Amino acid sequence: MKSLPENVTAYKRTPSFTTDTVPKGLLRAHKTKAGTWGKINVERGKLLYRILEPEIEEVLLSDQRYGVVEPTVLHEVAPQGEVEFYVEFYK
């Protein structure tokens, strides 16, 4: 998993999602637009973050470890029990 570039700025944030409210689209392969980075922040619980290209990489996210979404790279998430998280978007 890559790190957020130093030259990007946050511009939008999703509401907090729980195991029951996470949008179905986040649970299957999807991607951000060109130039848009994401930061997955877990507030409680654990969330499996799967980066699907160029190679499959799985990272277990928690309140101690956030996930970085690269522009245009397919990815998905899977709650590991009860979880609460949100996504910040950067350009």
Side-chain angles (χ1 to χ4, degrees), residues 47-80:
L47 185 70
L48 184 62
Y49 171 41
R50 290 188 193 102
I51 302 164
L52 304 173
E53 57 186 14
E55 299 171 356
I56 295 177
E57 180 181 355
E58 292 187 343
V59 182
L60 189 60
L61 306 180
S62 68
D63 61 352
Q64 302 294 309
R65 185 171 193 190
Y66 63 84
V68 174
V69 179
E70 293 179 68
T72 73
V73 173
L74 282 173
H75 62 281
E76 63 191 15
V77 298
Q80 304 296 289

Side-chain angles (χ1 to χ4, degrees), residues 1-5 37-40 49 51 66-70:
M1 178 174 62
K2 294 200 176 173
S3 300
L4 280 174
W37 289 78
K39 181 179 177 186
I40 306 168
Y49 171 41
I51 302 164
Y66 63 84
V68 174
V69 179
E70 293 179 68

Side-chain angles (χ1 to χ4, degrees), residues 24-45:
K24 301 281 187 237
L26 298 183
L27 302 175
R28 60 182 181 264
H30 64 285
K31 58 187 171 181
T32 59
K33 296 178 184 176
T36 300
W37 289 78
K39 181 179 177 186
I40 306 168
N41 298 284
V42 176
E43 298 173 290
R44 69 176 174 83

